[in-house]
């Protein structure tokens, strides 16, 4: 919570030109779909431990924003899946680049060793949360 509380230090509410970035849920869901490939509501439920109604609201908003589309299961299953669109890829990459620039700004006076130690400890922290929840995050 503390890290997210200070996000305003590196991320203004809107991007250049006045266009806002993705909301947090869309950013997280799009990142997972990008890494995993098309996913159904059931797969997203399993991946995030969220209830179906929450994911239905979030994916409906993403469909309206044009960042995902529903497609038949490429593996021949019954459930339709969500696939990231070109617009979704563009917006996700823009937000990711924006976030990286913000982190660089925050850490500009850190030594390379401190930045590496922070990244290593943050990864360890995330992996331990994933272990306790039983929901590992795919890493490329």
């Amino acid at each position: 919570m503390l890290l997210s509380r200070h996000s305003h230090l590196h991320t203004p509410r809107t991007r250049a030109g006045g266009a806002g970035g993705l909301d947090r849920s869309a950013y997280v869901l799009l990142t997972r779909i990008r890494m995993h490939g098309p996913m159904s509501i059931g797969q997203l439920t399993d991946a995030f431990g969220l209830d179906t109604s929450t994911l239905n609201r979030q994916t409906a908003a993403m469909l309206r924003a044009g960042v995902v589309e529903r497609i038949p299961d490429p593996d021949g299953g019954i459930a339709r899946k969500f696939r990231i669109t070109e617009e979704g890829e563009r917006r996700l990459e823009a937000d990711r680049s924006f976030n990286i620039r913000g982190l660089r700004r925050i850490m500009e006076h850190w030594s390379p060793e401190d930045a590496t130690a922070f990244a290593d400890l943050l990864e360890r922290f995330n992996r331990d949360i994933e272990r306790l929840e039983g929901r590992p995050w795919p890493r490329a």
Side-chain angles (χ1 to χ4, degrees):
M1 282 179 21
L2 185 61
L3 289 174
S4 65
R5 196 174 94 202
H6 296 294
S7 66
H8 70 280
L9 294 174
H10 75 278
T11 56
R13 282 285 197 221
T14 59
R15 306 301 195 254
L22 295 166
D23 68 30
R24 182 184 173 279
S25 64
Y27 185 90
V28 172
L29 290 171
L30 287 174
T31 299
R32 187 64 172 249
I33 293 168
R34 176 194 267 177
M35 296 178 83
H36 184 272
M39 296 180 77
S40 66
I41 287 287
Q43 290 170 316
L44 291 169
T45 296
D46 291 343
F48 293 103
L50 297 172
D51 62 73
T52 303
S53 63
T54 298
L55 285 164
N56 277 327
R57 281 191 304 277
Q58 292 173 344
T59 55
M62 292 167 57
L63 283 164
R64 284 190 304 273
V67 296
V68 293
E69 61 187 348
R70 290 191 77 131
I71 62 167
D73 184 345
D75 299 321
I78 297 172
R80 294 178 52 85
K81 294 193 173 188
F82 294 95
R83 176 174 60 193
I84 191 169
T85 63
E86 285 185 29
E87 175 68 6
E89 286 282 357
R90 185 193 65 72
R91 291 184 61 188
L92 182 59
E93 190 53 38
D95 274 25
R96 186 174 186 284
S97 295
F98 189 81
N99 291 336
I100 289 169
R101 285 192 307 275
L103 289 171
R104 284 189 181 129
R105 183 174 159 237
I106 291 168
M107 301 170 77
E108 68 186 334
H109 299 295
W110 290 30
S111 71
E113 296 80 16
D114 285 348
T116 298
F118 178 75
D120 290 345
L121 289 170
L122 191 57
E123 181 179 349
R124 179 179 172 190
F125 179 81
N126 285 329
R127 286 186 188 274
D128 283 345
I129 290 172
E130 294 164 2
R131 176 183 51 80
L132 291 172
E133 289 182 340
R135 291 187 177 85
W137 186 264
R139 290 174 172 81

